[in-house]
Amino acid sequence: MLQLKNLHVSVDGTEILKGIDLEIGPGEVHAIMGPNGSGKSTLASVLAGREEYEITAGEILYDGADLTELDAETRAREGIFLAFQYPVEIPGVSNTYFLRSALNAIRAHRGEDPLDAIDFLELVKDKAKLVRLDEKLLKRPVNEGFSGGEKKRNEIFHMAVLEPRLAILDETDSGLDIDALKIVADGVNALRDTQRSFVVITHYQRLLNYIVPDFVHVLKDGRIVRSGDRELALALEDQGYEWLETAPVAAGA
Amino acid sequence: MSEQTRIIEDFATREYEHGFVTEVEQETFPPGLDEDVVRAISAKKDEPGWMTDWRLKAYRHWLTMTEPRWPNVSYPAIDYQAISYFAAPKKKLESLDEVDPEILATYTKLGIPLDEQKALAGVAVDAVFDSVSVATTFKDKLAELGVIFCSFSEALREHPDLVRKYLGSVVPITDNFFATLNSAVFSDGSFVYVPKGVRCPMELSTYFRINAENTGQFERTLIVADEGAWVSYLEGCTAPMRDSNQLHAAVVELVALEGATIKYSTVQNWYPGDRETGAGGIYNFVTKRGLAEKRAKISWTQVETGSAITWKYPSVILKGDHSVGEFYSVALTAGFQQADTGTKMIHLGRNTSSTIISKGISAGRGQNTYRGQVKVAKKADNARNFSQCDSMLIGDRCGAHTFPYIEIGNPTAQMEHEATTSKIGEDQVFYCNQRGISTEDAVSMIVNGFCKEVFKELPMEFAVEAQKLLGVSLEGSVG
């Protein structure tokens, strides 16, 4: 579904990602771990199509086609979803109205009719239940005055409504207490199926106790230095990132 | 300039939709202003002698005044002798059926139906085309309740005592340069009287259209709500696209007697001038003021998106004890537009309260100034004011300025003032993009969200129009 080949990315002339190779198949859950500043969030932003990030070498293929040709909104409509590390507030715009605009933009892209207000309301109520989101938050302006946990849960709620094919969770666990973490993980698990893939970016292995990944990759200084399964994450918890050696410089860098 | 910034700028620099010209036979005075022109306007309208004298008094006073230079706007000097002070469609009208079909077509094109059969239920319309009122709908139905809603000229003929009693009682003829000019040469406008205890059952609406070239529009609106009465009044404005600037200097006076409520809403969309060069556009120099007696309430809501220059401070004199004044404003300046707008809340009575919510949006090279005054007189015990002035910047060539003046003469007053300035964040737009929403829709959504507190004060039909004006589909049908 998603292939990264020797991906190099710079921001303001500084190279952050220095040759990433990664392949994600349908229905797979990949965890990306790594110390602060290793390039985890850059990877998430590049996949979502943020403009400030310049791809200097390599390629990103989504369903075999060049993803970098598409702007951010087209990627979203093609099924790529990013749960933000810092969800953005939009004062005066209700969460429901925002999501309905988003869903109908995605539906229009697929050639489907827009959902009317009543059908949409039913849908969001179901999905709110799924991620145990307080219904009060549906009418409130997007993320405005939400607690940290509410913001993260709201991201998962957006994901549940928009039903992406590839969901990228950027440090969704940061700032959550254990109860909130479980709720978020339950929401993600409820959405797992054989076609939907996840990239779970996290600093701590704690989240992976609840969202069990198929693959774990360790990112360090812009490179994937180790890949493995869940055991790798557990080893990292015990020993930290220090024992991992930086992988050799990828060809073509 | 990044792609995103470009789209945002495009959004802010859309074409003006109402810029067409109506071909209709007009009678227009030659340019120039002197006492004879003032007399001729008065004669044209068969006015009583006292009205002519009132105009002349204003004109003579105007000659002693100078144009104000304190607003934070700049424009070349206006040649008052180059303007024509009267323009009217030639045909005399007896009823709606006789309105020139071209003019009716104009209003249909603008989305303002004058045909009562098709008119929106619940809105009575008075249409002012250049200097004269061309049609007023639902008059009979209103008359049953004793509500008078007619053109100013008709009011002078049919209800001279009411007009004489209240005209100039809130904005005196010596008030300011533009109001005094208006007092001398005003051509028409709307008059409303709501009798004691009557709740006006429908929205009253005036639609102003400037059509003729090189003509000033000087309309006068007077609204009187008698004791315990309630009325909601809407005002809309458009003009054709012309390369030269046109002057619009209106005066609106509101009188709310004991226990009365007047809600006055404006959606102003005069031609703003060329987006690229700044040529043309309306100079909108308007004086609006209301007088609130005991327990009366006056509420101004304005959405100002048009005009090359806007100079306007809808105000409330809180004369009676327990009176209430409100001001809700959205002002958008794009292209080369300039706006210096705000309000004055003058607290004279005891236990009076006022609320000011101002939202300024600047885009392109627009300059947006909020100027507001809150004054509490010595005897005005327990006056309360809440002011909130928010500015939003779109792009990096525009400006936002805030000048609040607060004058407190009584120690029991409670004042609150909040002000914020924000930029449409790339983060906000990207967040929307990432959910599948286009940049254009994202900007509309963010701007509308910013203005929500003001839009919710507008009557339904106007709220829709206001949102459209900001380039947006309706929000709020869900959630």
Side-chain angles (χ1 to χ4, degrees):
Chain A
M1 172 184 270
L2 183 76
Q3 288 170 290
L4 309 187
K5 292 183 180 170
N6 186 32
L7 184 69
H8 290 249
V9 174
S10 295
V11 182
D12 293 333
T14 307
E15 188 164 63
I16 309 280
L17 297 183
K18 302 170 181 171
I20 302 269
D21 290 284
L22 186 63
E23 185 152 357
I24 295 172
E28 293 176 359
V29 176
H30 289 246
I32 310 258
M33 301 184 68
N36 289 331
S38 58
K40 300 191 299 289
S41 285
T42 297
L43 182 61
S45 297
V46 166
L47 292 176
R50 228 184 150 120
E51 273 183 15
E52 308 89 279
Y53 294 82
E54 193 196 348
I55 295 172
T56 52
E59 55 183 352
I60 309 173
L61 299 176
Y62 181 62
D63 287 340
D66 182 4
L67 185 68
T68 60
E69 292 286 304
L70 307 180
D71 58 20
E73 64 259 38
T74 312
R75 293 183 199 193
R77 293 168 193 171
E78 289 283 339
I80 294 180
F81 179 91
L82 171 64
F84 284 63
Q85 184 178 1
Y86 303 107
V88 178
E89 298 183 2
I90 308 179
V93 177
S94 84
N95 211 7
T96 313
Y97 177 77
F98 175 82
L99 261 187
R100 188 170 157 219
S101 305
L103 183 63
N104 283 336
I106 293 170
R107 290 176 67 94
H109 182 72
R110 292 193 206 129
E112 296 167 2
D113 289 334
L115 272 193
D116 68 30
I118 294 164
D119 289 345
F120 182 74
L121 210 58
E122 236 164 71
L123 174 75
V124 291
K125 282 190 173 167
D126 281 354
K127 301 292 185 179
K129 235 174 253 158
L130 187 73
V131 298
R132 283 183 267 169
L133 186 86
D134 189 339
E135 276 197 25
K136 274 191 307 212
L137 300 184
L138 296 177
K139 291 187 181 174
R140 295 247 303 266
V142 181
N143 291 321
E144 198 185 35
F146 287 26
S147 70
E150 285 170 339
K151 282 183 182 172
K152 294 298 177 75
R153 215 181 300 174
N154 195 39
E155 293 294 287
I156 302 305
F157 167 63
H158 284 189
M159 178 170 78
V161 172
L162 301 179
E163 300 187 321
R165 294 177 50 224
L166 172 67
I168 304 150
L169 275 51
D170 188 6
E171 307 222 6
T172 298
D173 53 336
S174 67
L176 294 187
D177 62 29
I178 195 71
D179 294 327
L181 186 78
K182 275 186 195 163
I183 291 170
V184 163
D186 287 349
V188 171
N189 288 329
L191 291 166
R192 278 178 85 157
D193 72 22
T194 56
Q195 293 308 307
R196 185 170 295 133
S197 311
F198 290 84
V199 175
V200 180
I201 293 172
T202 179
H203 191 74
Y204 303 105
Q205 101 79 31
R206 187 179 66 157
L207 177 66
L208 305 181
N209 290 334
Y210 302 97
I211 303 173
V212 178
D214 300 307
F215 302 92
V216 175
H217 310 279
V218 180
L219 196 62
K220 205 177 169 192
D221 193 26
R223 295 181 184 91
I224 291 177
V225 294
R226 192 69 59 99
S227 293
D229 58 13
R230 204 181 157 210
E231 296 304 316
L232 176 60
L234 293 170
L236 286 170
E237 190 180 35
D238 282 350
Q239 301 166 49
Y241 292 104
E242 291 307 313
W243 60 280
L244 290 165
E245 287 182 25
T246 303
V249 175
Chain B
M1 197 186 292
S2 76
E3 172 70 5
Q4 199 175 74
T5 314
R6 196 186 57 74
I7 294 173
I8 292 172
E9 294 244 327
D10 283 355
F11 166 80
T13 53
R14 293 212 177 142
E15 285 297 312
Y16 186 67
E17 280 177 43
H18 308 295
F20 60 90
V21 178
T22 309
E23 295 302 333
V24 53
E25 265 202 282
Q26 293 255 4
E27 178 183 8
T28 307
F29 280 14
L33 180 59
D34 55 25
E35 290 203 4
D36 289 341
V37 170
V38 175
R39 281 195 192 91
I41 293 169
S42 194
K44 251 302 157 254
K45 311 190 83 69
D46 293 324
E47 287 177 355
W50 65 265
M51 192 69 245
T52 314
D53 292 343
W54 197 82
R55 287 175 180 276
L56 286 169
K57 206 170 141 197
Y59 175 70
R60 286 170 196 144
H61 188 78
W62 181 71
L63 290 175
T64 69
M65 302 171 96
T66 48
E67 205 173 320
R69 281 290 166 205
W70 50 263
N72 189 24
V73 298
S74 63
Y75 55 94
I78 298 170
D79 180 356
Y80 291 91
Q81 296 303 333
I83 297 170
S84 167
Y85 288 84
F86 187 80
K90 260 189 181 162
K91 229 171 124 195
K92 279 254 174 189
L93 304 169
E94 295 304 324
S95 81
L96 196 61
D97 302 333
E98 293 175 26
V99 175
D100 189 319
E102 280 289 325
I103 294 178
L104 279 182
T106 299
Y107 282 97
T108 307
K109 209 164 162 184
L110 294 168
I112 315 295
L114 296 181
D115 181 341
E116 292 191 21
Q117 300 301 316
K118 292 179 199 154
L120 283 169
V123 182
V125 181
D126 182 30
V128 177
F129 191 84
D130 286 334
S131 297
V132 293
S133 168
V134 291
T136 307
T137 62
F138 290 111
K139 266 168 102 163
D140 300 343
K141 202 171 164 189
L142 292 168
E144 283 169 25
L145 291 161
V147 175
I148 301 167
F149 177 40
C150 62
S151 72
F152 204 93
S153 311
E154 189 182 330
L156 262 178
R157 286 195 304 271
E158 309 289 330
H159 314 282
D161 296 343
L162 275 176
V163 174
R164 196 169 183 179
K165 183 169 176 191
Y166 293 107
L167 181 68
S169 67
V170 186
V171 180
I173 54 174
T174 54
D175 195 79
N176 72 72
F177 186 82
F178 296 111
T180 301
L181 176 62
N182 172 287
S183 300
V185 302
F186 75 84
S187 33
D188 211 335
S190 300
F191 175 78
V192 175
Y193 173 78
V194 186
K196 250 183 215 178
V198 170
R199 186 183 170 96
C200 187
M202 58 180 80
E203 308 277 355
L204 303 183
S205 169
T206 298
Y207 201 88
F208 295 103
R209 172 78 176 168
I210 295 181
N211 188 59
E213 200 162 3
N214 299 324
T215 305
Q217 179 151 328
F218 305 93
E219 79 272 353
R220 188 105 194 173
T221 301
L222 175 57
I223 299 176
V224 181
D226 213 325
E227 290 172 21
W230 191 98
V231 63
S232 169
Y233 185 90
L234 322 172
E235 173 198 86
C237 338
T238 57
M241 290 157 76
R242 307 264 193 207
D243 293 337
S244 53
N245 295 106
Q246 282 177 287
L247 179 62
H248 172 252
V251 173
V252 175
E253 292 179 277
L254 308 183
V255 180
L257 298 180
E258 188 172 334
T261 298
I262 301 176
K263 215 173 141 50
Y264 192 105
S265 312
T266 305
V267 172
Q268 184 265 107
N269 188 26
W270 298 118
Y271 177 51
D274 189 278
R275 293 291 194 198
E276 302 297 325
T277 64
I282 305 290
Y283 290 163
N284 189 35
F285 300 151
V286 172
T287 303
K288 290 183 166 174
R289 195 175 303 148
L291 182 74
E293 297 284 358
K294 209 186 260 182
R295 285 192 309 278
K297 176 175 167 181
I298 289 178
S299 180
W300 298 101
T301 305
Q302 60 172 20
V303 177
E304 304 277 329
T305 62
S307 297
I309 300 177
T310 297
W311 177 97
K312 180 181 167 188
Y313 316 90
S315 307
V316 183
I317 301 169
L318 299 146
K319 183 179 166 212
D321 294 349
H322 301 280
S323 57
V324 175
E326 294 174 340
F327 175 74
Y328 300 96
S329 169
V330 167
L332 173 107
T333 52
F336 285 79
Q337 282 176 275
Q338 307 172 63
D340 190 315
T341 184
T343 184
K344 283 193 265 184
M345 293 291 174
I346 314 292
H347 293 255
L348 301 176
R350 292 187 180 83
N351 304 309
T352 51
S353 71
S354 60
T355 304
I356 299 170
I357 309 279
S358 164
K359 304 278 181 176
I361 303 155
S362 317
R365 293 165 196 265
Q367 292 295 328
N368 209 323
T369 300
Y370 168 80
R371 187 185 302 277
Q373 183 183 37
V374 178
K375 193 172 173 174
V376 177
K378 246 185 198 160
K379 291 179 181 165
D381 293 337
N382 305 316
R384 281 185 306 160
N385 167 264
F386 174 77
S387 298
Q388 184 186 331
C389 305
D390 298 327
S391 306
M392 178 177 267
L393 301 169
I394 303 177
D396 48 17
R397 291 179 299 175
C398 52
H401 318 271
T402 304
F403 299 104
Y405 302 88
I406 299 173
E407 259 178 72
I408 310 294
N410 183 306
T412 61
Q414 282 181 46
M415 302 287 125
E416 274 180 79
H417 184 94
E418 291 176 12
T420 65
T421 301
S422 58
K423 246 185 132 165
I424 281 201
E426 303 229 324
D427 283 351
Q428 282 177 323
V429 175
F430 179 68
Y431 188 72
C432 295
N433 287 160
Q434 210 300 308
R435 297 297 185 257
I437 298 166
S438 69
T439 298
E440 198 184 38
D441 289 347
V443 172
S444 294
M445 194 184 266
I446 294 164
V447 169
N448 260 297
F450 175 72
C451 300
K452 193 165 197 168
E453 286 161 282
V454 174
F455 286 168
K456 71 173 202 260
E457 296 297 325
L458 287 171
M460 189 58 188
E461 296 83 357
F462 255 36
V464 173
E465 189 181 341
Q467 292 199 346
K468 272 200 224 144
L469 270 183
L470 295 181
V472 190
S473 57
L474 177 69
E475 147 143 45
S477 50
V478 190

